[in-house]
Structures are given as C-alpha cells and as structure tokens.
Amino acid sequence: MLIAGYILCVITLGVLLLVAWNVIAWPSPGSPSTNAAPRVSVLIPARNEAASLGACLDSVLGQGTPVAEVLVYDDHSTDDTAAIVTRYQA
C-alpha cells in the first residue's frame, strides 16, 4: 500500500511539473493589431452560373472589405462559368 501511494505521488508530481513547464514554455498569444483591417475569404459554389457569376464576383470584390481570397467551386458546369472565373483571376 505504501508503494502504491509513493507511485501515485510520483505520477502526480510528474504531471504537475509537465503542466508548469507548459505554462512557462508555451508562447503567449500576442495582442491583435488594432490597425489591421479585417480580411475575409469568400467561397462561391457555382454550377451553370455564367449568367450571374460576373455580377456576384463584382459585388464580392466591391464591398470595401479587403478580400484575402475568392474561391469559386465549379461543380461540373456545362456553360461558361469556368471562363468567367478565369477572366477574374489575378
């Protein structure tokens, strides 16, 4: 019984040391920059949307919020959806 208690104390001490090490060594999160403008990613699912995709992309890009990326998921369109997306690629 004494050996089991000793082993439990050693394990508990090891866990506490590991937690203490993580608290000390883990990098603290930096404060977010207050000057940085928010950036968004936009995902547009499209299937045969050639008639409206240009207006949609113009609207997304013209909202004023900096857009990090625009992803258009073309679901096997049979119209000119892919060609419209290609025109907007930078």
Side-chain angles (χ1 to χ4, degrees):
M1 190 72 160
L2 184 62
I3 294 175
Y6 176 73
I7 291 173
L8 183 62
C9 286
V10 169
I11 291 173
T12 303
L13 181 61
V15 169
L16 288 175
L17 287 173
L18 181 62
V19 168
W21 173 256
N22 282 335
V23 168
I24 294 168
W26 199 271
S28 62
S31 62
S33 174
T34 56
N35 298 335
R39 294 173 50 113
V40 297
S41 295
V42 179
L43 173 62
I44 302 171
R47 183 172 193 187
N48 296 331
E49 294 291 337
S52 60
L53 187 58
C56 179
L57 290 170
D58 289 337
S59 176
V60 165
L61 297 173
Q63 288 188 13
T65 302
V67 177
E69 61 186 350
V70 177
L71 304 170
V72 178
Y73 179 75
D74 185 6
D75 189 18
H76 304 289
S77 295
T78 57
D79 61 359
D80 290 334
T81 299
I84 292 171
V85 172
T86 302
R87 279 187 271 164
Y88 278 85
Q89 286 180 331

